[in-house]
Amino acid sequence: ILLMGSSHMEAMEVAEDENLGYLLNERLNDKNTYNIGISGHNIYRIMDNVSDAVKTYEPKDYVIIETSAIELDEAKMMAVIEGTAKKIPSYDSGIVYQLQKIPAIKWIYKSLDEWMSQSKGALGNIMNVFATETEEARISDSYAETLDVFLNMSVQACRETGCTPVIFYHQQAEIQADGSINCNTNEVYLELFAETCEKQGIIFVDMTEALIRGFEEEHIMPHGFINTYVGSGHINVYGHEMVIDELMKVLYKE
């Protein structure tokens, strides 16, 4: 199994024996999982790299892709499809390289990033109040066609070794004043994403129900830590456990 994802899969915030890659290896002791999750590698970067990754690591069973977004940017998808997506710069000298060594700089950057994500989520909640039944009309044929080609890149890559692409979606939920949680997911875009995956033969795992069940039955959230806003930030130990439980139900039918 090849595991691809962002900093959620790099999992620097949890112990080495608590992240999804480790848990997969532990649960599947007759198989091997190789985790190449790294900060900044969102679904656009992953699709841009998936072909080379499969050729390099030759997974036989699955390529598992993590995403925290299903409402995607059409222009960014097209850039990946056309091969014009900008590479993430890497620095081994100069002032940026030196700044990366300062823990406080990383902390400030991450805090700003999480604050902006929270602001975006709040704006999304406001917009949802004004959403109408005509929302589906906002998804253009162009967007749907682009998403179809974009997700198919993982299918084409997997043909190299005969493995199956898997995408799991996790979202950050917010606790409401009445004690319930809001999953902040645009249901119309989620439905289109799931339908496109099914059409392409991609196994799609939506973590929404597991998230709600974990909150209502065990009072736990899959994101956040003692030093973060409740439910925000990276996947925590509960989140990694939730993901592997859901994956095992569809991958190896536990």
Side-chain angles (χ1 to χ4, degrees), residues 42-208:
N42 54 30
I43 192 168
Y44 307 107
R45 182 63 52 203
I46 291 170
M47 289 300 177
D48 199 28
N49 291 337
V50 66
S51 180
D52 287 339
V54 170
K55 290 176 183 176
T56 299
Y57 299 106
E58 300 182 345
K60 296 299 186 289
D61 285 7
Y62 300 103
V63 172
I64 300 177
I65 296 170
E66 168 259 327
T67 183
S68 58
I70 44 81
E71 186 175 347
L72 305 181
D73 185 294
E74 187 173 353
K76 290 181 179 179
M77 287 192 289
M78 281 303 303
V80 173
I81 293 168
E82 295 172 350
T84 59
K86 293 182 179 179
K87 302 298 181 183
I88 298 176
S90 179
Y91 302 94
D92 57 8
S93 63
I95 188 170
V96 176
Y97 171 71
Q98 296 300 328
L99 287 173
Q100 289 177 151
K101 297 180 179 180
I102 304 175
I105 296 295
K106 292 183 178 181
W107 181 85
I108 292 170
Y109 175 81
K110 287 177 65 177
S111 297
L112 284 172
D113 184 56
E114 289 180 9
W115 174 75
M116 291 174 69
S117 296
Q118 287 294 322
S119 298
K120 184 178 180 181
L123 178 60
N125 290 340
I126 295 172
M127 296 305 293
N128 285 337
V129 173
F130 299 100
T132 68
E133 293 181 358
T134 63
E135 184 173 12
E136 188 169 0
R138 288 188 236 162
I139 299 183
S140 65
D141 291 340
S142 173
Y143 177 90
E145 292 168 1
T146 301
L147 178 66
D148 189 49
V149 176
F150 179 73
L151 294 181
N152 182 255
M153 297 179 76
S154 66
V155 177
Q156 295 301 321
C158 285
R159 286 179 178 167
E160 294 284 338
T161 63
C163 61
T164 301
V166 180
I167 299 177
F168 75 87
Y169 166 59
H170 64 99
Q171 66 280 69
Q172 296 196 3
E174 294 179 348
I175 299 178
Q176 306 300 293
D178 63 358
S180 64
I181 57 173
N182 179 6
C183 291
N184 299 321
T185 299
N186 187 313
E187 295 297 333
V188 178
Y189 279 89
L190 176 60
E191 182 179 359
L192 176 63
F193 195 98
E195 289 176 351
T196 305
C197 283
E198 183 176 7
K199 172 186 173 183
Q200 293 289 354
I202 300 168
I203 297 174
F204 178 60
V205 178
D206 177 11
M207 293 300 301
T208 304

Side-chain angles (χ1 to χ4, degrees), residues 1-6 8-11 19-25 32-38 41 46 50 53-54 57-59 61-67 163-164 166-168 170 235 240 243-244 247 251:
I1 299 171
L2 179 64
L3 177 59
M4 303 182 71
S6 65
H8 291 287
M9 293 299 96
E10 187 176 25
N19 67 66
L20 180 60
Y22 182 95
L23 295 175
L24 279 167
N25 279 325
N32 295 309
T33 298
Y34 193 68
N35 181 5
I36 58 172
I38 192 168
H41 281 216
I46 291 170
V50 66
V54 170
Y57 299 106
E58 300 182 345
D61 285 7
Y62 300 103
V63 172
I64 300 177
I65 296 170
E66 168 259 327
T67 183
C163 61
T164 301
V166 180
I167 299 177
F168 75 87
H170 64 99
I235 295 179
H240 285 276
V243 173
I244 191 172
L247 285 175
L251 301 189

